[in-house]
Amino acid sequence: MLQIYNTLTRQKEIFKPLKPGKISMYVCGITVYDYCHIGHARVLVAFDVITKFLRSQNWGVTYVRNITDIDDKIIRRANENGEEYTELTKRFIDYMHEDETRLGIARPDIEPRATAYINQILDMNKALIDKGYAYAASNGDVYYRVTRFADYGKLTNKNVDELLVGARIEVDEIKEDPRDFVLWKGAKAGEPAWKSPWGNGRPGWHIECSAMSKHCCGDTFDIHGGGPDLPFPHHENEIAQSEAANSCKYVNYWMHAGAVRVDGEKMSKSLGNFFTIRDVLEKYHPEVVRFLLVSSHYRSPINYAEDNLIEARTGLDRFYGALRDYVDVVPTPLSDLTESNYYKAFVDAMNDDFNTRVALAGMYDLVRDLNNASKADPALAIRLAGELKALGLILGILQENPAVFLQAGSSDQISAGEVERLIAERIQAKKDKQYARADEIRKALTDSGIVLEDSRDGTTQWRRE
RNA sequence: GGCGCGAUAGCAAAGCGGUUAUGCGUCGGAUUGCAAAUCCGUUGAGCCCGGUUCGACUCCGGGUCGCGCCUCCA
């Protein structure tokens, strides 16, 4: 039984799909004017794991994640660079896809872009104007009448009357009410623009998601997800737009990922304290980054720090260490695991609001049993290795060749070939009972970040720290 | 000022009204030429003050502290 924490009701709820066995999910994606940072990676990985798990449980998931490819920041950045905004967005969309691929994130089923949905956006604007929820201002902007929508604030518990108090809302004579937000922006000279009944312009930020989700998921859909900074105003405004325009409930379950912090502060572009995915992948294996993100619950804040990455690496080393002798074992089909207690524990944890942390705790139990079986019961060990890989597959981890992973550490000051050569020399020294020489070689390798592990059969395996 | 989240052992991080979370680390043992890895064991929690209860880390109330949103931000 699947339970999901719903931001709207602020509690965990039993998930009930609109259509039996199906889930329509729309997640707010990236505004493409810069490299993705770790905060983006968290949302991307979280919903990737969620999708993979749901599919593993035979839910028919339609996963939609949009790309915002027109907005003020994009225009400004393109101007700074002296290029067309489309060149800028194309480049950063490509970079985003590269980052996703490296982190093992599968593409969503549909990846709609705002600029491809201008007609739908215009249609929704017209509908909102016709129904009296929106108005065209004198400058070509179209605004949403926040006070017209009775449920405004229901997602984030805002009181419309109090929105003005203490809030930093700029007064603007163009608007009827300072709380109104823009649906369509009239174009200034030289700005990218599309024709509209209100003059040339471009969509406001919130309306694109209402239009694209309607088109891709329907007027009402199951799950809407996004980052920690989106509930207000973005998702609140989406609700106002969609429910007013479509005259029905917009979304059943709202899901929001937790923030990634640096030194206790939220990592964000506006604070400038962000690490791009690329920065981090220079130093850490992509799976280490993914493991770090998976090893805490998706709603908890996590701290981005070197120590936590090292810890993630240590955790993965344990998994891959256990799998090292089972390179050829493939993930067991889940249909063969219905009696497995490991699998049951895993599914129970994941069904409970996607509790990856608890799921991993069970996988560590499996690792221990696998390590024991390695010595005592080879057939059992092979079976357990297959189970472990099957669970890892759902989380998007543990599919690498273990030796390759373990030898791909951060310290590359010595080549694999050189390591192998020294190991061969050390094995000979050991055979000759030249232990001083053997230890000398091992010491030298240790200093280069290489850890040796002698086996009973006289071979030596190695890994980078 | 409004709304919301959190406070768990050396660190990280979960569930749970009474029964081992888990990982890393520590310490001891097995194993090893010595190590590493592995295994076995060990260590050690629940911000403060009240209340409910036979019993609370877990529920309720009140504090304190931290964080997020209220403006573009995943």
Side-chain angles (χ1 to χ4, degrees), chain A residues 111-130:
Chain A
E111 197 170 44
R113 302 177 189 185
T115 54
Y117 283 80
I118 300 294
N119 287 336
Q120 289 84 346
I121 289 167
L122 291 174
D123 287 346
M124 195 168 254
N125 274 337
K126 285 175 209 153
L128 288 169
I129 289 174
D130 289 347

Side-chain angles (χ1 to χ4, degrees), chain A residues 43 102 107 112 251 402 422 425 461:
Chain A
V43 175
R102 294 189 66 192
R107 292 286 183 82
V251 167
L422 287 167
E425 187 185 337
Q461 295 182 302

Side-chain angles (χ1 to χ4, degrees), chain A residues 113 191 261 412:
Chain A
R113 302 177 189 185
E191 289 181 343
R261 296 177 182 167
D412 282 341

Side-chain angles (χ1 to χ4, degrees), chain A residues 65 75 130 137-138 169 178 189 201 215 219 232 243 264-265 308-310 319 330 335 359-360 374 415 449 460:
Chain A
R65 197 189 60 224
I75 294 171
D130 289 347
S138 56
I169 294 177
H215 185 83
D219 287 0
F232 193 91
E243 300 199 346
E265 271 194 318
N308 293 331
L309 281 159
I310 292 167
F319 282 109
V330 297
S335 54
L360 280 175
S374 276
S415 72
T460 295

Side-chain angles (χ1 to χ4, degrees), chain A residues 87 92 97 229 320 361 378 389:
Chain A
E87 286 175 45
F92 283 108
H97 287 326
D229 36 16
Y320 275 118
K389 287 190 183 183

Side-chain angles (χ1 to χ4, degrees), chain A residues 25-27 55 62-67 107-113 117 212 215-217:
Chain A
M25 180 165 81
Y26 181 97
V27 174
R55 289 192 171 132
T62 302
Y63 177 25
V64 182
R65 197 189 60 224
N66 75 292
I67 292 174
R107 292 286 183 82
D109 298 297
I110 310 174
E111 197 170 44
R113 302 177 189 185
Y117 283 80
M212 290 188 281
H215 185 83
C216 299
C217 297

Side-chain angles (χ1 to χ4, degrees), chain A residues 87-100:
Chain A
E87 286 175 45
L88 177 82
T89 55
K90 182 187 181 312
R91 192 164 67 250
F92 283 108
I93 288 169
D94 289 344
Y95 291 149
M96 175 182 77
H97 287 326
E98 287 169 18
D99 291 342
E100 285 188 277

Side-chain angles (χ1 to χ4, degrees), chain A residues 326 342 366 369-370 372-374 376-387:
Chain A
Y326 306 97
Y342 308 110
L366 176 47
D369 294 344
L370 167 57
N372 277 321
S374 276
D377 187 344
L380 175 63
I382 288 170
R383 212 185 77 208
L384 295 180
E387 288 198 33

